Amino acid sequence: MSPQVAVPAVARIGYLASDVVLYAQQPSGSAFSETYALLSKASSHSPRVIPVPYGGDAGSSIVRNPSNLTTFSGVATSQLLNRLLVHLADLSHQPVVLHLAVEDDLSDVLLLRSAVPYFLLSQTAQEAHDNALLASRLARVEKKAVVHAFYLSQDNASSIEDVPEDKILPFLLAKKHPSSNPSTNGHVTPLNGANGHANGHANGHANGHANGTLSTPIDDPTSAQLFKAYDAVLLETVALLRRPKRALSSSGAPDAHTVIFLVGRSEIATAAIHGVAFVTPSLLSPLPPSKLVSAVPPSANNVIVLEQVFKWSTKWTPLYLDLVSAIQSRPVRVHDGILGENVSDVEILKLLQKIESGEASRFQLGVIPGQSTPSSTPHVPKQEAAYTKILEHIFKDRLDVANSPTLVATQGEIATTPEFALGRVRGQVDARQELVSLVEGLIENPTLEPSLHSLLSQWLLAKDDPTKSSRFGAEIVNQLTQLSSSSPSIRRALDLAKHFPALSKWIIGSDAWSYDLGASGLHHAIASGLDINILILDTLPYSSRTSGDPQRRKQDVGLYAMNHGDVYVASVAVFSSYAQVLQAIVEADRFKGPSVVLAYLPYSSESSQALEVLKETKLAVDAGYWPLYRWNPSKDAKGEEPFSLDSDAIKNDLRQFLDRQNHLSQLTRSTPAIAAELVSNLGDTIREARKKRAQQSYNDLLSNLDAPPLLVLYASDGGAAEKKAKRLVNRAKARGLPTTIATFDALTFEGLKDEEHVVFVTSTAGQGEPPQNGRNFFKALNAAALREEKVFSNLKFSVFGMGDSHYWPRAEDAHYYNKPAKELDARLEKLGGERVADLGLGDDQDADGAETGYKIWEPKIWKALSVDSVEVTEAEPEPITNEHIKAASGFLRGTIAEGLEDASTGALAASDTQLTKFHGIYQQDDRDIRDERQAQGVEPAYSFMIRVRMPGGVCTPSQWLDMDQIADEHGNGTFKITTRATFQFHGVIKRHLKPAIQDINRALLDTLAACGDVNRNVICSSIPTLSKLHRQVFEFSKEVSEHLIPQTSAYHEIWLDKKLVAGDAVKDFEPIYGEFYLPRKFKVAVAVPPTNDVDVFANDLGFIAIVGPNGELEGFNVSIGGGMGVTHGNKKTYPRAGSVIGFCTVEQGKYVAEKIMIVQRDNGNRADRKNARLKYTIDRMGLDVYKAEVEKLLGYPLQPARAYAFDRNIDDFGWHTGEDGRHHYTMFVENGRIQDEPGREFKAGLKEIAKIHKGTFRLTANQHLLISDIPNEELPRIKGLLAKYRMDNLEFSGLRLSSSACVAFPTCGLAMAESERYLPILIDKVEKIVEEAGLRHDSIVMRMTGCPNGCARPYLAEVAFVGKAPGSYAMLLGGGYYGQRLNKIYRESVTEPEILSILTPMIKRYALERNEGERFGDWTIRAGFIAPTTEGRLWYDRMGGEGEHRIVA
């Protein structure tokens, strides 16, 4: 460990002490990640380590990863801290430690001090180590957040004395000791002295003085209790470390006349100056007043508080206010100042002289880094600068104060008036809208440079993003200014260039004009609907409140604005809660619409002292005259509570408003149709609706006189729990119970208090987490449980949970099973609820899955509600399934066309998203920002994936150029070669769907049947050396695809605007599929031995080419029943390798395919989509029976299968020459992603090749690319371009060349873990193992998928990883090298460290023990690691390893 810095010491403690470790990444690399990487190899402790991307929301990441102890570490930047601040209310009562490294300024990190229970500060590296240990113990035992700030660099630091690893966990897990008053042992100064006497003096008089003239302040009980808990942990830490440690360390003269508090790093504390004592705090919160007073001896008449806050934006520094409040009853003068660097003894003596002379300004000692001189602007009262500096601190370059005093110089005095400010903002909005229109017009210009076109498109999509809009705008302006000829549109765009960035617009009202704003200007600002933030300062002291006009008090505008219904309102006071001010300002900026922030700053003149302002603020807030609150209407739209009270007291008029609003919110949520009317007067329509409701309620009352109302709440990600809840509701209604249903998050926590009978149904997500639409409810529930409130005294409840007891098979992970349901059941009881039916648990491992437990649980509900004897005669409504959707779709039309016209959402209707799959489209959303968008109150960032149908995987250069352009114009700028050898586009927003598909069709390709319950893209081997044979199988692939294509005209109607004949004279007809189509997807592949590059046995139908002695294609062996999809934990699902059933001629092939598909159409399982694939139909009917049905439809038997042999399923990379003399180059495209990145500009390079290439491009099923049919004369130019763009590089390991991954995060909605983005990183690490074993050039087929659906065909790989949760995978071994044998689950759940620890000795043994030509998958079976899988139905048999390698759940 380096003795020069504290980071490794803190990182080590955080890693060894925590269950979950998060760290903030930096552009130049994290200071903590290196230590974590070293510890992952050297330590026996393995926490989950999660990097937070640079600029990411660290707070939400911490909230999403709760544990017994979660540690976050990062360098304390203002961006990071501002984002953390928003989440501290949720984190403050969780066992979380935030280790924040600072350079030399505590300004940013001290903003968190008032928002967390504990705040520790370390000056030295050794202290950082000790405080890290103390913080971990404190957070774990007290279940509260601890912020630990320490210095990033340590000058002249001595070596650090570490606590051994084996002592850390016992220390952290030791039984909690009662926080009693400790004895004074020389290490710790107790809170109130020994034996309970003040400062340890037996006489009990204040400070030990018999005259009692000095009184000890009374501590706040909460603060005192927090300090006692800290004191107890401090004693335990001292006992372990065996070195002294104090909350407040004192040095210097014992009877000092001056006490200097040093908050920050300084060596001056060791100086010996006559009559001066130094106090260095290690604990900054809580600091009870009595503790501060005890640090100031009776002899002191001056206290100086020096704090290392170079950018502090308020008049008084943090600890200064605490000291002023604590010792106000003593005759001591308190001074504040800034603690700079390199403070000398001489400077201290000069400071004392200034104090003696009566100087009272803020002092400054040492050198202040980056100190600047103030700019000359019109005078603003210095007290009011507190708020403006906060705005500058948060928004920096983004801040735009519409009435800034700096405008007076150019605009005159009118520049600070509200009318001018509002007009200026409106002008800016109009100008920016004009700029948007100009950009939209420029995008449609076909002559525009592609790079500029792409930039303009990206800016248009991100124009409201604070960071991206500025970055893209700067690049656009740079390119526009470089254009040789510019149109009027471009010149105008350059004139409006300052409007490219998304600014935070503010109007600041002071005493000079705020009344006018309140009377008229505010009304206009609110009514305008503009995205403008208004900060109104009230400087009227509480003691002078009666002298103001009670009808025109500025804080009343908050009620006015809240009554408007669509305005964000906050009431803040910087000297009461600084953290709340920051949170309100951040929320106001995020709110789309007008925001009003009412700020209290009570001072009578600029000479007002700190104590005066502090007292006035305290009086106003404590009395309820100035309540602290936040009102966010966007939360109401999400079913959350819009009002947050941040102070204890509240005014009566505000309380009346909230009482009324709570009632209205409940009403509007239950009846959205009348929400708009409720914010004004009830009209005739509403009165009529109420009459009808009253009549209906009366009728319901008569029919359900004795039936209690039932509320069913559900939380569900995949829909299973939702279906159970809806079925329960239908059955309850059938028994005469008035029943309603909603998601957990749709009901406010307060609203639940009014309910009597509630049933909860929840599934389990990830590692025992609640589903997405229940997480806010769980947070509120946990917070209430921590406060030990009995809020549900009237609630009668029962809980049913759904999970998989085998999903996390290790004993230490068993608690994840149905964790949300178990915790919910316990919390509700703890909060006063009455359990009327025992907790029900549905287990996917039971014979009927969750239904087994549900059947036991449901009758208990009816019995508890006294309706168990009710006989239900009505049949339950049949649940809507994909089969119903297909049947009612009008041959795949649905309401897709109507949905495309709906501009109110970026999504399509749920039923239509099932139908768009048949059109080659999947609806997705960006999962990287899903939580952030939910927190912002907006819908997910919906987009669509488009998959092209391209039989055989062959396209022309012109088609390649079209695909490249479509990716730029309609997608996310990249496109992907899929494992079905076709193109796939991501990030296509709804309004670009139709233009994109039309462009694809113009390129003579289409997307019909690329997805859905039909035959999908037919793939064939690429075989570059056999030109004639490839041409034959390619034509066969196209013939099969065209024969099996759906015949509906819906595709051409919806996407290509080709209408049906009027009067429905022409009817759709599906001769092969029928109106219900297939039960599930159907995949066809054509392989040419000896290369099985299409993994023919992974497909529902496989054709294996049989070539005669003369090299002519004679026909195909036919394989049926292959399939990859699995559901974790559901043993009714399994992968299956295809079975060869015979031989057919080329001419018979398409008819054989048709009949095989028809038998599946008529016999497949349409009741359960998880068991609907052809593989299950064959295993249920029997292979021979299925074959006989096919032959019956054909009218002739298939011929016996002919001999063939495969020897690989990977691509043949490099240069090849075909029989016709043309050349082919197979290039490596990692995981199929065509994009430009540093060192690999594949997208640009392939575009240049396509411009000159006269042959074709062939896409492979392994996600790689052949540049094919290159004539001799073209060869030098192609090779030159390949070299220029480094696409000729094949110097990769055999492992990497043989790897494959699906897309997974961030776009795939089914992904449970990373895949495409993670597999290259994993291979980097496994490659080191392979190279050490001398196997760099040996091919080992490794594949990864983010979920068990198997898009990358992982179940045929030699080693595979299938995602189960973020960072966790099932590990499979033993697949056949050429795709002939399924692998088997070796470990059900592994993380990266476990993967590497398993593969390291295994690969070394393989290198030493393998036979000549023996492949890795075969060797793992022979070496006894895994059993072979002989058929799909036996896939689970003997899983978990063999012999000594076996681990059974």
Side-chain angles (χ1 to χ4, degrees):
M1 179 178 296
S2 170
Q4 300 302 317
V5 293
V7 168
V10 173
R12 175 178 177 270
I13 295 296
Y15 184 92
L16 298 176
S18 308
D19 298 328
V20 176
V21 175
L22 301 97
Y23 66 91
Q25 294 178 318
Q26 296 290 319
S28 58
S30 169
F32 297 86
S33 59
E34 294 181 7
T35 302
Y36 295 147
L38 292 172
L39 287 167
S40 67
K41 299 175 182 177
S43 172
S44 59
H45 183 62
S46 300
R48 194 149 57 100
V49 180
I50 303 170
V52 178
Y54 178 68
D57 189 347
S60 62
S61 298
I62 299 169
V63 170
R64 289 196 304 269
N65 292 279
S67 69
N68 291 325
L69 181 61
T70 300
T71 290
F72 171 81
S73 54
V75 177
T77 63
S78 57
Q79 180 189 42
L80 171 67
L81 297 173
N82 287 336
R83 295 193 173 186
L84 276 175
L85 187 65
V86 178
H87 300 278
L88 288 184
D90 294 330
L91 295 174
S92 60
H93 293 286
Q94 294 185 26
V96 173
V97 178
L98 306 176
H99 294 298
L100 301 173
V102 298
E103 281 285 359
D104 51 19
D105 185 6
L106 300 175
S107 300
D108 290 329
V109 76
L110 283 177
L111 299 179
L112 308 185
R113 177 173 172 252
S114 60
V116 290
Y118 294 101
F119 190 106
L120 309 181
L121 176 63
S122 300
Q123 278 85 18
T124 67
Q126 184 65 64
E127 189 178 12
H129 168 275
D130 297 350
N131 271 340
L133 191 64
L134 188 153
S136 301
R137 170 69 175 168
L138 186 60
R140 185 180 281 269
V141 300
E142 295 300 320
K143 301 292 189 290
K144 287 181 171 59
V146 181
V147 170
H148 172 217
F150 64 98
Y151 286 90
L152 192 61
S153 59
Q154 300 291 333
D155 297 332
N156 303 319
S158 58
S159 60
I160 298 172
E161 185 178 340
D162 290 327
V163 173
E165 179 177 342
D166 58 357
K167 291 186 178 181
I168 292 177
L169 272 182
F171 168 71
L172 296 173
L173 300 177
K175 185 178 178 182
K176 179 181 176 181
H177 296 294
S179 53
S180 58
N181 289 332
S183 60
T184 52
N185 57 8
H187 296 303
V188 183
T189 305
L191 179 62
N192 285 320
N195 305 317
H197 297 290
N199 291 325
H201 295 276
N203 57 15
H205 295 291
N207 295 317
H209 295 275
N211 57 18
T213 57
L214 300 177
S215 61
T216 301
I218 299 175
D219 295 333
D220 171 66
T222 302
S223 176
Q225 189 59 41
L226 287 171
F227 188 88
K228 288 179 70 176
Y230 165 84
D231 223 8
V233 174
L234 182 63
L235 274 177
E236 296 168 348
T237 309
V238 168
L240 174 69
L241 299 174
R242 297 297 176 183
R243 50 180 167 265
K245 185 166 184 57
R246 302 175 179 86
L248 294 174
S249 300
S250 298
S251 62
D255 296 322
H257 56 71
T258 300
V259 177
I260 301 179
F261 281 79
L262 299 171
V263 181
R265 178 176 53 185
S266 178
E267 294 182 1
I268 196 63
T270 60
I273 301 174
H274 178 71
V276 176
F278 295 96
V279 178
T280 306
S282 175
L283 176 72
L284 291 181
S285 182
L287 266 182
S290 64
K291 188 68 179 172
L292 289 170
V293 169
S294 67
V296 180
S299 57
N301 51 39
N302 283 299
V303 172
I304 307 172
V305 183
L306 299 176
E307 301 179 63
Q308 217 149 44
V309 284
F310 306 146
K311 297 180 294 185
W312 194 251
S313 54
T314 62
K315 179 175 181 180
W316 297 286
T317 51
L319 190 62
Y320 171 74
L321 292 175
D322 289 351
L323 270 163
V324 167
S325 179
I327 64 175
Q328 56 185 304
S329 61
R330 291 177 56 177
V332 176
R333 290 186 298 167
V334 183
H335 313 268
D336 70 325
I338 304 300
L339 177 63
E341 298 177 346
N342 304 319
V343 180
S344 65
D345 296 12
V346 175
E347 286 181 284
I348 294 290
L349 294 174
K350 288 181 179 179
L351 174 62
L352 297 178
Q353 290 175 0
K354 290 180 181 180
I355 291 174
E356 287 299 322
S357 65
E359 190 173 329
S361 61
R362 175 180 288 181
F363 300 111
Q364 174 183 314
L365 266 75
V367 179
I368 307 299
Q371 193 173 45
S372 60
T373 58
S375 60
S376 58
T377 58
H379 179 69
V380 175
K382 60 182 181 181
Q383 284 87 351
E384 296 181 12
Y387 286 103
T388 56
K389 285 186 177 180
I390 291 172
L391 294 176
E392 293 167 0
H393 176 71
I394 294 175
F395 301 116
K396 298 182 174 62
D397 295 339
R398 284 189 57 221
L399 178 64
D400 179 23
V401 179
N403 60 325
S404 171
T406 59
L407 297 172
V408 172
T410 56
Q411 305 291 336
E413 293 184 2
I414 194 174
T416 58
T417 64
E419 296 86 352
F420 175 90
L422 189 58
R424 184 168 179 262
V425 170
R426 187 180 294 278
Q428 290 172 336
V429 171
D430 292 343
R432 198 164 199 260
Q433 187 55 49
E434 180 187 354
L435 179 62
V436 171
S437 300
L438 285 170
V439 171
E440 290 174 341
L442 288 172
I443 286 176
E444 296 176 1
N445 185 348
T447 64
L448 206 63
E449 287 290 332
S451 60
L452 180 56
H453 187 284
S454 175
L455 270 177
L456 291 170
S457 300
Q458 291 180 69
W459 179 83
L460 206 56
L461 293 173
K463 64 180 185 298
D464 295 325
D465 185 281
T467 305
K468 293 180 180 178
S469 63
S470 179
R471 186 174 77 247
F472 292 146
E475 294 177 17
I476 290 169
V477 171
N478 184 47
Q479 289 206 24
L480 289 178
T481 54
Q482 293 177 8
L483 293 177
S484 55
S485 61
S486 59
S487 65
S489 297
I490 292 177
R491 289 196 297 272
R492 181 57 181 157
L494 286 171
D495 292 339
L496 299 172
K498 66 180 181 180
H499 298 291
F500 274 112
L503 302 178
S504 181
K505 298 180 175 62
W506 289 82
I507 298 175
I508 302 177
S510 64
D511 281 347
W513 53 268
S514 57
Y515 288 117
D516 178 57
L517 181 66
S520 60
L522 179 64
H523 167 76
H524 293 306
I526 290 175
S528 71
L530 295 173
D531 190 6
I532 179 68
N533 308 301
I534 305 163
L535 179 69
I536 303 178
L537 302 176
D538 192 305
T539 60
L540 182 67
Y542 177 73
S543 57
S544 306
R545 65 193 183 282
T546 55
S547 63
D549 183 352
Q551 302 303 317
R552 301 181 66 203
R553 288 178 302 164
K554 281 168 286 185
Q555 65 268 25
D556 287 344
V557 300
L559 291 177
Y560 171 78
M562 284 193 287
N563 274 295
H564 199 272
D566 58 355
V567 181
Y568 177 91
V569 185
S571 176
V572 303
V574 69
F575 293 108
S576 178
S577 175
Y578 197 93
Q580 190 245 0
V581 176
L582 287 176
Q583 190 167 2
I585 288 174
V586 170
E587 289 178 351
D589 178 62
R590 288 180 178 177
F591 184 76
K592 298 305 178 186
S595 300
V596 177
V597 178
L598 307 168
Y600 194 50
L601 191 65
Y603 68 94
S604 54
S605 69
E606 288 197 58
S607 60
S608 297
Q609 296 299 312
L611 190 57
E612 179 187 339
V613 179
L614 186 65
K615 284 182 177 180
E616 292 288 349
T617 303
K618 180 176 175 57
L619 285 170
V621 174
D622 290 351
Y625 171 81
W626 194 273
L628 307 183
Y629 63 83
R630 287 167 290 122
W631 170 266
N632 193 342
S634 64
K635 290 186 175 181
D636 199 28
K638 297 186 296 182
E640 300 176 6
E641 178 56 53
F643 185 82
S644 300
L645 181 64
D646 299 314
S647 60
D648 295 329
I650 190 170
K651 295 185 300 183
N652 287 333
D653 50 359
L654 184 56
R655 187 182 300 281
Q656 291 167 4
F657 168 81
L658 292 173
D659 290 342
R660 173 169 61 85
Q661 186 63 30
N662 287 339
H663 170 70
L664 298 184
S665 295
Q666 292 171 13
L667 194 54
T668 55
R669 287 182 193 135
S670 62
T671 313
I674 66 174
E677 293 285 347
L678 284 171
V679 298
S680 57
N681 295 323
L682 287 173
D684 294 338
T685 305
I686 303 306
R687 282 195 287 270
E688 184 63 29
R690 291 176 67 183
K691 287 180 182 179
K692 289 181 180 179
R693 173 177 287 189
Q695 183 62 45
Q696 182 62 43
S697 298
Y698 179 71
N699 294 338
D700 292 343
L701 180 64
L702 293 178
S703 60
N704 303 315
L705 197 58
D706 297 325
L710 177 64
L711 173 63
V712 177
L713 297 177
Y714 69 87
S716 176
D717 278 338
E722 181 179 358
K723 290 177 182 177
K724 282 279 191 292
K726 288 180 176 177
R727 189 173 72 176
L728 181 69
V729 168
N730 290 333
R731 292 181 175 182
K733 289 180 178 178
R735 287 167 171 78
L737 294 172
T739 310
T740 54
I741 184 171
T743 64
F744 281 18
D745 285 349
L747 186 73
T748 65
F749 191 71
E750 293 297 318
L752 187 59
K753 296 177 183 178
D754 301 325
E755 299 295 337
E756 185 176 359
H757 292 90
V758 184
V759 170
F760 300 84
V761 181
T762 179
S763 57
T764 307
Q767 288 186 303
E769 301 158 6
Q772 195 76 28
N773 54 2
R775 292 186 180 179
N776 291 331
F777 176 83
F778 271 87
K779 288 178 189 175
L781 192 75
N782 290 335
L786 286 171
R787 294 191 295 268
E788 298 184 353
E789 301 171 348
K790 297 291 184 182
V791 293
F792 296 142
S793 55
N794 297 324
L795 180 66
K796 297 177 174 62
F797 73 91
S798 183
V799 179
F800 182 75
M802 300 171 63
D804 183 349
S805 60
H806 204 65
Y807 196 85
W808 300 103
R810 297 184 298 192
E812 60 267 31
D813 296 333
H815 63 287
Y816 293 142
Y817 168 62
N818 261 316
K819 185 181 178 185
K822 294 174 181 176
E823 289 188 349
L824 175 61
D825 184 72
R827 295 282 193 277
L828 291 172
E829 183 180 40
K830 183 177 180 180
L831 293 172
E834 178 188 348
R835 186 185 297 103
V836 295
D838 290 339
L839 170 66
L841 298 178
D843 188 352
D844 286 348
Q845 295 300 316
D846 288 338
D848 292 329
E851 190 66 17
T852 303
Y854 182 83
K855 289 176 180 177
I856 299 171
W857 172 79
E858 186 190 292
K860 298 178 182 178
I861 300 298
W862 309 141
K863 185 173 182 179
L865 297 173
S866 302
V867 292
D868 52 322
S869 59
V870 175
E871 183 178 355
V872 179
T873 56
E874 295 181 17
E876 285 190 38
E878 190 176 353
I880 302 297
T881 66
N882 283 54
E883 297 303 313
H884 295 94
I885 294 171
K886 287 185 284 187
S889 69
F891 291 95
L892 307 182
R893 287 174 177 82
T895 58
I896 297 172
E898 292 81 356
L900 292 172
E901 298 298 322
D902 182 5
S904 66
T905 174
L908 293 173
S911 58
D912 287 337
T913 61
Q914 298 301 318
L915 299 175
T916 54
K917 295 177 184 178
F918 292 80
H919 301 256
I921 300 163
Y922 275 83
Q923 180 174 295
Q924 301 175 331
D925 74 284
D926 190 336
R927 295 178 66 181
D928 283 347
I929 60 173
R930 184 185 286 177
D931 289 347
E932 183 177 344
R933 288 182 67 85
Q934 184 185 28
Q936 293 172 346
V938 295
E939 71 175 10
Y942 288 116
S943 64
F944 295 82
M945 178 271 281
I946 300 177
R947 187 179 294 152
V948 178
R949 184 178 69 93
M950 195 168 66
V954 177
C955 76
T956 65
S958 64
Q959 288 173 327
W960 182 278
L961 290 172
D962 290 333
M963 297 303 106
D964 183 278
Q965 184 174 355
I966 290 167
D968 287 339
E969 293 185 355
H970 304 298
N972 62 4
T974 73
F975 54 103
K976 186 174 174 70
I977 299 173
T978 76
T979 53
R980 302 285 320 154
T982 186
F983 296 110
Q984 195 162 281
F985 303 99
H986 291 273
V988 182
I989 60 176
K990 188 166 74 172
R991 64 187 175 88
H992 278 269
L993 271 178
K994 199 168 184 176
I997 291 178
Q998 289 176 345
D999 287 349
I1000 291 169
N1001 278 264
R1002 287 191 192 99
L1004 302 181
L1005 296 169
D1006 61 47
T1007 64
L1008 177 60
C1011 321
D1013 298 340
V1014 288
N1015 172 57
R1016 299 192 176 183
N1017 198 51
V1018 179
I1019 57 177
C1020 72
S1021 290
S1022 56
I1023 46 173
T1025 55
L1026 304 173
S1027 305
K1028 180 180 178 181
L1029 188 57
H1030 177 265
R1031 186 164 55 252
Q1032 291 175 322
V1033 296
F1034 171 55
E1035 291 300 327
F1036 177 76
S1037 299
K1038 291 199 294 182
E1039 185 179 4
V1040 171
S1041 180
E1042 293 303 320
H1043 186 69
L1044 301 181
I1045 195 77
Q1047 300 301 306
T1048 177
S1049 59
Y1051 181 84
H1052 297 82
E1053 280 180 55
I1054 295 169
W1055 307 108
L1056 307 180
D1057 296 327
K1058 295 182 180 180
K1059 304 299 181 184
L1060 277 175
V1061 177
D1064 291 343
V1066 177
K1067 294 284 187 181
D1068 269 335
F1069 174 63
E1070 290 285 9
I1072 295 179
Y1073 292 104
E1075 63 176 326
F1076 300 109
Y1077 295 86
L1078 298 181
R1080 245 350 215 103
K1081 59 188 172 185
F1082 193 86
K1083 297 182 178 181
V1084 179
V1086 184
V1088 180
T1091 303
N1092 185 20
D1093 54 348
V1094 294
D1095 267 331
V1096 68
F1097 300 116
N1099 291 264
D1100 298 87
L1101 169 59
F1103 291 103
I1104 303 169
I1106 303 299
V1107 182
N1110 58 356
E1112 293 293 326
L1113 178 64
E1114 295 183 347
F1116 302 93
N1117 282 350
V1118 180
S1119 164
I1120 62 172
M1124 295 286 96
V1126 175
T1127 300
H1128 281 314
N1130 184 350
K1131 293 190 177 181
K1132 295 179 181 178
T1133 66
Y1134 49 82
R1136 187 184 191 278
S1139 305
V1140 177
I1141 59 171
F1143 172 87
C1144 71
T1145 64
V1146 176
E1147 295 73 19
Q1148 293 172 334
K1150 64 181 179 181
Y1151 302 108
V1152 171
E1154 174 191 324
K1155 305 312 178 189
I1156 290 171
M1157 199 169 73
I1158 287 176
V1159 176
Q1160 161 65 355
R1161 180 196 70 188
D1162 296 339
N1163 294 277
N1165 184 353
R1166 293 181 183 269
D1168 182 2
R1169 286 182 67 80
K1170 293 185 185 298
N1171 281 91
R1173 287 289 295 274
L1174 174 62
K1175 57 183 175 180
Y1176 303 116
T1177 308
I1178 290 173
D1179 283 347
R1180 188 177 66 253
M1181 294 175 62
L1183 184 63
D1184 292 339
V1185 174
Y1186 196 97
K1187 177 184 176 183
E1189 290 293 318
V1190 172
E1191 292 176 335
K1192 184 191 299 182
L1193 294 176
L1194 284 170
Y1196 56 83
L1198 295 171
Q1199 299 177 38
R1202 302 187 183 181
Y1204 68 94
F1206 288 125
D1207 62 13
R1208 63 192 181 280
N1209 67 356
I1210 62 171
D1211 292 331
D1212 296 325
F1213 295 98
W1215 285 100
H1216 306 275
T1217 303
E1219 301 160 323
D1220 57 0
R1222 288 181 171 253
H1223 306 282
H1224 311 263
Y1225 176 72
T1226 307
M1227 62 177 286
F1228 173 70
V1229 183
E1230 191 156 31
N1231 300 320
R1233 181 66 65 181
I1234 305 297
Q1235 64 183 351
D1236 289 335
E1237 55 185 339
R1240 287 197 288 188
E1241 296 180 347
F1242 285 6
K1243 186 171 181 289
L1246 289 168
K1247 183 178 180 179
E1248 293 303 312
I1249 287 176
K1251 289 178 180 178
I1252 66 166
H1253 185 33
K1254 302 297 189 296
T1256 59
F1257 290 96
R1258 300 183 194 176
L1259 281 60
T1260 80
N1262 286 317
Q1263 302 176 287
H1264 304 299
L1265 178 67
L1266 275 79
I1267 304 169
S1268 292
D1269 303 310
I1270 305 170
N1272 287 326
E1273 61 272 17
E1274 192 181 300
L1275 196 59
R1277 293 182 68 191
I1278 296 292
K1279 286 187 174 181
L1281 287 172
L1282 287 172
K1284 177 181 177 181
Y1285 290 96
R1286 300 184 64 181
M1287 294 184 291
D1288 60 346
N1289 179 24
L1290 294 175
E1291 292 301 314
F1292 300 102
S1293 67
L1295 175 70
R1296 192 177 296 273
L1297 292 172
S1298 308
S1299 67
S1300 184
C1302 69
V1303 177
F1305 290 129
T1307 51
C1308 179
L1310 301 174
M1312 301 173 180
E1314 292 282 2
S1315 182
E1316 179 188 332
R1317 298 192 296 194
Y1318 173 58
L1319 182 59
I1321 297 171
L1322 179 63
I1323 288 178
D1324 287 341
K1325 299 175 181 180
V1326 178
E1327 272 179 335
K1328 295 177 182 178
I1329 303 170
V1330 169
E1331 289 176 359
E1332 287 177 1
L1335 302 177
R1336 174 174 173 79
H1337 300 292
D1338 288 69
S1339 172
I1340 299 175
V1341 179
M1342 176 184 286
R1343 293 174 181 167
M1344 175 177 284
T1345 57
C1347 78
N1349 289 312
C1351 292
R1353 306 187 294 275
Y1355 306 111
L1356 289 171
E1358 295 182 286
V1359 56
F1361 303 98
V1362 178
K1364 300 190 76 173
S1368 182
Y1369 300 82
M1371 182 178 183
L1372 301 93
L1373 293 175
Y1377 179 69
Y1378 52 88
Q1380 81 280 15
R1381 180 182 63 244
L1382 294 170
N1383 53 28
K1384 194 182 291 289
I1385 297 174
Y1386 180 67
R1387 295 290 182 264
E1388 290 192 73
S1389 176
V1390 291
T1391 58
E1392 182 182 288
E1394 293 168 316
I1395 292 170
L1396 298 178
S1397 66
I1398 291 171
L1399 288 179
T1400 299
M1402 190 180 291
I1403 290 174
K1404 289 180 179 177
R1405 276 191 59 188
Y1406 169 59
L1408 296 171
E1409 299 176 7
R1410 62 177 175 165
N1411 296 325
E1412 182 69 27
E1414 187 176 25
R1415 293 294 176 181
F1416 182 73
D1418 301 328
W1419 175 83
T1420 58
I1421 295 172
R1422 183 176 67 82
F1425 284 94
I1426 198 75
T1429 302
T1430 55
E1431 62 173 303
R1433 285 179 293 187
L1434 301 179
W1435 189 60
Y1436 295 99
D1437 185 42
R1438 295 166 68 184
M1439 60 180 271
E1442 291 283 282
E1444 62 179 314
H1445 307 292
R1446 184 168 177 77
I1447 294 180
V1448 183

